[in-house]
Amino acid sequence: MAITNPIHKLLGKSPIKPLQEHMTEVVKCAELLESFFDASFTNDWGHAEAVYDRICESENRADDLKKQLRLHLPKSFFMPVSRTDLLELLSVQDHIANSARDVAGLMLGRKIMVPAAISTLWMEFLKGAIATTQQALVAINELDELLETGFSGQEINFVEKMIEELDQLEQITDHFERQIREQLFNLESELPPVDVMFLYKIIETIGDLADNAERVGGRLQLLLAR
């Protein structure tokens, strides 16, 4: 007969690993956008659709992880961090995956071509947004180390530096977003008006990737402060 450790039962399993797994899947969604746009630039919508399907698969896996974490998140008073804080962090992470799916879905739905004149800047903007999500993942992956050190010592300084770098990446992406909006404005008269409207929406949603990645850093800062 198996013996249950009452202390282990009281504490429950750590929610940090599932949170990190969720963020890993979320970032995969964002990273796949680079292949998606590479395909769209060459008008290869068959390949673009295949990449979109992979984004949706990763987004669905992230959703499953999110649901499982919500269902099994310990309610013990002995949790090292606030249950509410973890749920809010999970929600912010989830927005990144949703934004990645929405970007590809909007493009694919109308088979919108990014104007060649802004394609280079567009990819710089996209890669900046993806890099911001990747930096957020690096920071999230330090959570277990933070717990081991009791949110103190050099590990806190290390994570704070990561968050600073995350903020800088988001600012760079913001700069690219402003530039690409200006260039698109100059091309508006040459493009179908409905496509222009969708391109602005897609630009905004790519920007959301970086914004939500920065918010992940903001939630981590709150955890450090408490």
Side-chain angles (χ1 to χ4, degrees), residues 5-6 12 14 16 86-87 94 98 104 108 118 136 143 153 163 167 226:
N5 185 329
S14 169
I16 301 305
L86 285 177
L87 287 172
D94 193 51
N98 293 341
L108 188 62
I118 62 172
L143 255 180
I163 294 171
D167 291 343
R226 293 174 187 178

Side-chain angles (χ1 to χ4, degrees), residues 36 45 52 99-112 198 201-203 205:
F36 177 88
W45 292 106
Y52 173 70
S99 293
R101 181 203 58 207
D102 290 347
V103 166
L106 285 168
M107 288 286 296
L108 188 62
R110 292 187 56 84
K111 294 183 170 56
I112 298 171
F198 274 93
K201 179 61 178 175
I202 292 162
I203 290 168
T205 311

Side-chain angles (χ1 to χ4, degrees), residues 56-73:
C56 290
E57 287 169 6
S58 279
E59 196 265 343
N60 287 336
R61 283 194 293 270
D63 268 350
D64 288 341
L65 288 166
K66 175 187 68 177
K67 290 171 186 173
Q68 288 301 312
L69 183 53
R70 283 176 172 171
L71 284 171
H72 299 107
L73 191 62

Side-chain angles (χ1 to χ4, degrees), residues 149-163:
T149 59
F151 286 85
S152 62
Q154 288 302 310
E155 185 64 23
I156 265 205
N157 296 331
F158 182 58
V159 174
E160 284 177 343
K161 187 174 184 298
M162 285 184 179
I163 294 171

Side-chain angles (χ1 to χ4, degrees), residues 12-223:
K13 292 182 180 179
S14 169
I16 301 305
K17 187 66 174 176
L19 189 74
Q20 292 168 334
E21 291 173 355
H22 178 265
M23 187 62 181
T24 299
E25 207 63 54
V26 159
V27 173
K28 283 182 187 176
C29 296
E31 290 172 336
L32 284 166
L33 286 175
E34 189 170 348
S35 295
F36 177 88
F37 277 100
D38 283 342
S40 74
F41 286 163
T42 59
N43 209 24
D44 188 352
W45 292 106
H47 182 55
E49 185 170 3
V51 178
Y52 173 70
D53 288 342
R54 290 172 61 196
I55 292 171
C56 290
E57 287 169 6
S58 279
E59 196 265 343
N60 287 336
R61 283 194 293 270
D63 268 350
D64 288 341
L65 288 166
K66 175 187 68 177
K67 290 171 186 173
Q68 288 301 312
L69 183 53
R70 283 176 172 171
L71 284 171
H72 299 107
L73 191 62
K75 297 179 182 179
S76 166
F77 289 112
F78 291 92
M79 278 184 64
V81 291
S82 160
R83 189 173 190 274
T84 299
D85 285 343
L86 285 177
L87 287 172
E88 288 177 355
L89 180 54
L90 179 66
S91 179
V92 175
Q93 291 181 180
D94 193 51
H95 289 323
I96 296 172
N98 293 341
S99 293
R101 181 203 58 207
D102 290 347
V103 166
L106 285 168
M107 288 286 296
L108 188 62
R110 292 187 56 84
K111 294 183 170 56
I112 298 171
M113 293 290 292
V114 173
I118 62 172
S119 61
T120 299
L121 180 60
W122 186 285
M123 288 306 286
E124 289 178 353
F125 169 47
L126 176 67
K127 288 177 181 179
I130 293 170
T132 310
T133 68
Q134 291 168 331
Q135 180 67 12
L137 173 60
V138 171
I140 286 293
N141 281 340
E142 290 299 315
L143 255 180
D144 44 3
E145 295 291 333
L146 279 171
L147 290 178
E148 285 183 13
T149 59
F151 286 85
S152 62
Q154 288 302 310
E155 185 64 23
I156 265 205
N157 296 331
F158 182 58
V159 174
E160 284 177 343
K161 187 174 184 298
M162 285 184 179
I163 294 171
E164 287 175 12
E165 292 172 2
L166 176 58
D167 291 343
Q168 290 167 6
L169 285 168
E170 194 276 335
Q171 289 170 18
I172 291 169
T173 306
D174 270 353
H175 175 69
F176 281 135
E177 182 172 357
R178 289 192 297 272
Q179 281 189 313
I180 206 161
R181 283 180 178 276
E182 290 171 6
Q183 290 195 16
L184 180 58
F185 176 78
N186 293 331
L187 295 171
E188 280 186 13
S189 60
E190 305 170 22
L191 302 169
V194 176
D195 281 3
V196 170
M197 179 185 72
F198 274 93
L199 282 168
Y200 276 121
K201 179 61 178 175
I202 292 162
I203 290 168
E204 178 186 348
T205 311
I206 292 173
D208 287 343
L209 290 172
D211 290 344
N212 283 309
E214 185 188 36
R215 287 177 62 207
V216 167
R219 299 308 310 180
L220 277 177
Q221 278 186 317
L222 285 177
L223 291 180

